[in-house]
Amino acid sequence: MTDLINPATGTVFTSVPSLGLEETDAAIERAHRAFGMWRRVAPGERAELLRRFAAMVDTHVDELADLEVRNSGHTISNARWEAGNVRNVLDYYAGAPERLSGRQIPVGGGIDVTFHEPLGVVGVIVPWNFPMPIAAWGFAPALAAGNTVVLKPAELTPLTAIRLAELAREAGLPPDVFTVLPGKGSVVGQRFVTNPAVRKVCFTGSTAVGKSIMSGCAEQVKRVTLELGGKSANIVFADADLERAAAAAPASVFDNAGQDCCARSRLLIQESVYDRFLTLLQPAVQEFRVEDPSLPSAEMGPLISADQRATVASYVCDADVAFAGHAPAGDGWWFPPTVLLAHSTEDRHWREEVFGPVLSVLPFRDEAEAIRLANDTEYGLSGSIWTRDLGQALRVSQAVETGTLSVNSHSSVRYWTPFGGVKQSGLGRELGPDALLSFTDVKNVFISTDC
Ligand code: NDP
């Protein structure tokens, strides 16, 4: 059994089973057998089952959100959005089964057609930072394409995934089509990599574990999608609407207590407005509401664990703190929003993913230097550009090496647009129209008309 701790209080509130190798293999075997049935469910019927699953999630948004507040320390407003996102992702991919059409390609002597065939059992490995959305971004398109799914939630945050699997059954999904397997990454997750019946692994988490999963999957030429770390830049040019950019900056990095692979944790400010921008930023940081995450007014809750808090603190202890916000004292894994001045691009807090409410700031001279500094990282997941100059916005958007960018905003994720990273931030795309086909293989069939 694994004890679960409420991050806002530091107390154990429940425990869940931790599955071993034999139970994992048995579940994969059942999912493999169910695949033969699920792939043959008529597209319209599969679509209807996914719509019912979405409707079931919709009527349980508040229950799922409350679970996430307790298990993960997410603010209640974020947790409601996250449960709603699961519903929306299911609804979106419920439109896919009847539209997953192949092609007819002209050839001599017959007919040539292609099919998008499901892969088989898909293993989804989910981290603790966004337990609900990241699970749905894997299981919804995988199921829509006709695969069965085994899903391993993070040991720290399994409750919403376990509940989602129950809701899927209540909505009418057949047994073993979508199975949640709580347990250790080194046991359950690793078995998704080594068990040959799992034909694809979708992994979200640290770059180090992602690399080991990719090399493990290579042994069986198993497909992988990887969503890994980030160290995204928020570039503020002198001509930007500075008031708006400063007001928006805190949420872009402190949302979910900074435990977000898209966090804009490197702030690049053009030197001619550097002092003025920091003057605007300071009150926005200090007013960021860090409090009991179950309060509707909360903008940030605690970190996920004592370990994560110690990791985050290790980045701040030797750094030059410009200013910090507030956090509750006492029990729970609290850490205040903190702004650090970087003195060199070699500063550890500037280079490494902190995964906490820490923003590093550096000035730049001109467009060329902003691009060079933004790209001076092994990561490439997200980012933002603030300018009123359309030409500059387009030039910098094209030059910054990243998978997702926003101009004069910080939006990263819409369920109907693609999401994913370049460089060491990942491989493949989730969400939007692109994700579906990555859960299929193309089969080409030639039918002779000569006999
Ligand atoms: P991990 O990469 O260790 O964990 C992510 C998921 O992978 C968890 O479900 C974990 O299981 C599982 N896992 C761990 N090891 C293996 C393995 N060998 N084979 C298969 N699955 C495995 O991330 P951490 O939770 O340790 O976080 C460490 C750092 O990673 C963070 O501080 C942050 O920098 C980064 N991170 C990035 C995320 C992102 O969204 N890109 C998400 C989470 C973390 P288990 O439950 O046992 O840990």
Side-chain angles (χ1 to χ4, degrees), residues 163-393:
R163 188 70 186 117
L164 284 168
E166 291 167 0
L167 294 176
R169 289 286 291 126
E170 287 173 40
L173 260 74
D176 305 320
V177 165
F178 173 42
T179 310
V180 169
L181 303 171
K184 286 187 187 305
S186 55
V187 179
V188 180
Q190 187 58 26
R191 197 62 188 129
F192 291 0
V193 175
T194 55
N195 187 318
V198 177
R199 295 310 309 145
K200 170 166 180 161
V201 174
C202 285
F203 171 81
T204 305
S206 61
T207 298
V209 174
K211 285 179 185 174
S212 81
I213 285 179
M214 189 175 178
S215 74
C217 285
E219 284 294 312
Q220 298 171 13
V221 196
K222 192 174 286 196
R223 279 115 184 91
V224 282
T225 300
L226 302 174
E227 297 292 355
L228 309 175
K231 192 72 190 174
S232 298
N234 178 13
I235 308 171
V236 181
F237 286 97
D239 72 325
D241 181 336
L242 297 182
E243 281 75 13
R244 267 191 63 204
S252 79
V253 58
F254 303 141
D255 187 57
N256 205 30
Q259 302 165 125
D260 182 344
C261 46
C262 294
R264 275 65 165 178
S265 53
R266 291 185 301 150
L267 176 59
L268 284 160
I269 310 170
Q270 194 151 21
E271 61 187 8
S272 57
V273 295
Y274 181 78
D275 290 338
R276 172 155 166 65
F277 193 80
L278 286 184
T279 305
L280 291 168
L281 182 63
Q282 183 164 2
V285 169
Q286 290 172 338
E287 285 158 18
F288 207 70
R289 293 182 72 101
V290 185
E291 58 188 353
D292 175 354
S294 65
L295 296 173
S297 54
E299 292 178 289
M300 187 181 124
L303 289 163
I304 187 67
S305 65
D307 283 353
Q308 193 65 17
R309 188 172 63 172
T311 304
V312 174
S314 77
Y315 285 93
V316 174
C317 57
D318 296 331
D320 186 355
V321 177
F323 43 85
H326 308 279
D331 295 336
W333 320 130
W334 300 96
F335 202 92
T338 304
V339 177
L340 304 180
L341 302 179
H343 296 292
S344 141
T345 55
E346 294 310 310
D347 287 356
R348 192 171 149 251
H349 63 83
W350 180 262
R351 297 214 75 79
E352 296 180 13
E353 184 176 45
V354 178
F355 232 54
V358 175
L359 174 63
S360 304
V361 185
L362 198 65
F364 66 89
R365 272 188 312 280
D366 54 18
E367 186 180 310
E369 189 178 34
I371 293 166
R372 186 178 60 73
L373 289 169
N375 288 341
D376 180 21
T377 170
E378 66 193 20
Y379 294 117
L381 187 55
S382 192
S384 301
I385 300 160
W386 292 79
T387 176
R388 288 187 168 103
D389 178 340
L390 182 59
Q392 180 164 253

Side-chain angles (χ1 to χ4, degrees), residues 25-62:
D25 276 341
I28 292 170
E29 174 55 28
R30 288 195 300 275
H32 180 58
R33 273 189 261 120
F35 172 62
M37 168 277 301
W38 181 243
R39 68 179 307 183
R40 284 185 183 78
V41 171
E45 204 181 315
R46 207 183 311 137
E48 176 57 21
L49 285 166
L50 292 175
R51 277 193 292 272
R52 276 198 238 153
F53 185 6
M56 188 65 76
V57 172
D58 188 49
T59 55
H60 291 79
V61 162
D62 286 340

